[in-house]
Amino acid sequence: MPDKPRVIVVDDEPDLREAVAEYLGQQGLSVRAVGDAAAFRAALAEATPDIALLDISLPGEDGLSLARFLRGAHGQTVGIIMVTAAGEVVDRVVGLEIGADDYVAKPFDLRELLARVRATLRKVEAARAAIVLPAKPAERIPLGPLTVDIAARKVMDETGAPIDLTAMEFDLVLAFAERPGRVLTRAQLLDIAHPGGSDPFDRSIDVRITRLRRKIERNAAAPALIRTVRGAGYVYDG
């Protein structure tokens, strides 16, 4: 969240929205005030707010529609406070059902509004903190007792010493390490070793696998890492 939480006030009453914007701005918030849904969507395209203060009774597209749109686009990472007229119980309930965090009824006290904004900001912060970031791709992958260092394009033995491989041999090792248990056909391996299709003979892969085994297997005559699947191709069992 930025140093100053961003609030968009959407209300078709100019005096009210300006009074709210001025007051919240004095309380350390960055506030933008607009009068209708079109202006709100334009403002949203420029910057995502932390809180949207939505009047339900807007001309044209109403606040409930905007709340539904916000929830669909941003989940719980944008707070929504609905503004209702006194006694609009049905609209209030609908607003909460579609995902509004809170509501305030007109006429309201600005100090109460500020308290509700701050409480909603805490909910937004908690929701953003709960988002699980995707795991970083593994930089190293095991291949039996060996280690494949993707960034360095190296394969190390049990002691950490690098094994001397050609670029094509490394690409083959990486293909097996990334697909444990999956049989790779000669055609697939040929495409990996020769992505430009410069070698039309899929049996050339057999020669390359034989050379590779001599470098990475403890016993190339009885390979334990890259196993032959007759009639299909090769597999690393993992």
Side-chain angles (χ1 to χ4, degrees):
M1 192 169 292
D3 293 338
K4 282 190 174 185
R6 292 188 293 261
V7 178
I8 293 184
V9 179
V10 191
D11 199 295
D12 64 336
E13 298 180 37
D15 292 342
L16 177 61
R17 70 171 180 263
E18 294 305 325
V20 169
E22 181 180 359
Y23 178 76
L24 294 181
Q26 292 171 348
Q27 305 307 313
L29 304 174
S30 175
V31 187
R32 182 166 182 177
V34 297
D36 56 32
F40 169 73
R41 287 179 179 270
L44 191 65
E46 295 177 9
T48 302
D50 300 300
I51 299 284
L53 192 63
L54 304 176
D55 182 16
I56 287 183
S57 302
L58 292 172
E61 185 179 9
D62 63 20
L64 293 174
S65 174
L66 293 180
R68 189 177 294 109
F69 166 75
L70 265 181
R71 274 292 168 262
H74 298 281
Q76 300 297 321
T77 61
V78 173
I80 300 174
I81 299 177
M82 306 303 302
V83 179
T84 69
E88 289 182 336
V89 177
V90 173
D91 284 343
R92 193 176 304 162
V93 171
V94 172
L96 294 174
E97 286 179 345
I98 64 177
D101 296 287
D102 203 350
Y103 68 89
V104 61
K106 296 179 182 179
F108 49 78
D109 183 270
L110 290 174
R111 291 171 298 177
E112 176 191 354
L113 175 64
L114 178 62
R116 293 181 182 277
V117 167
R118 286 176 172 166
T120 302
L121 280 172
R122 289 192 290 270
K123 291 175 64 176
V124 169
E125 289 174 349
R128 291 177 180 177
I131 296 175
V132 179
L133 296 177
K136 291 178 64 177
E139 295 181 356
R140 293 190 172 192
I141 306 176
L143 184 82
L146 310 181
T147 300
V148 181
D149 188 322
I150 299 175
R153 288 185 61 83
K154 293 181 180 179
V155 177
M156 282 80 73
D157 64 17
E158 301 95 315
T159 68
I163 299 173
D164 186 20
L165 300 178
T166 67
M168 287 184 183
E169 288 169 343
F170 176 83
D171 289 338
L172 290 174
V173 169
L174 181 59
F176 285 113
E178 289 181 330
R179 302 167 179 82
R182 176 178 164 184
V183 176
L184 298 178
T185 67
R186 289 179 174 84
Q188 289 171 323
L189 293 171
L190 183 64
D191 186 58
I192 292 168
H194 298 277
S198 59
D199 192 336
F201 305 108
D202 62 357
R203 287 292 172 178
S204 68
I205 285 298
D206 296 337
V207 176
R208 298 191 183 281
I209 294 295
T210 298
R211 291 174 180 169
L212 181 59
R213 281 171 170 167
R214 291 173 185 159
K215 296 182 178 182
I216 67 173
E217 298 278 3
R218 288 178 177 170
N219 182 356
L225 295 178
I226 300 176
R227 183 170 57 85
T228 301
V229 180
R230 293 190 181 280
Y234 296 91
V235 63
Y236 162 57
D237 288 320

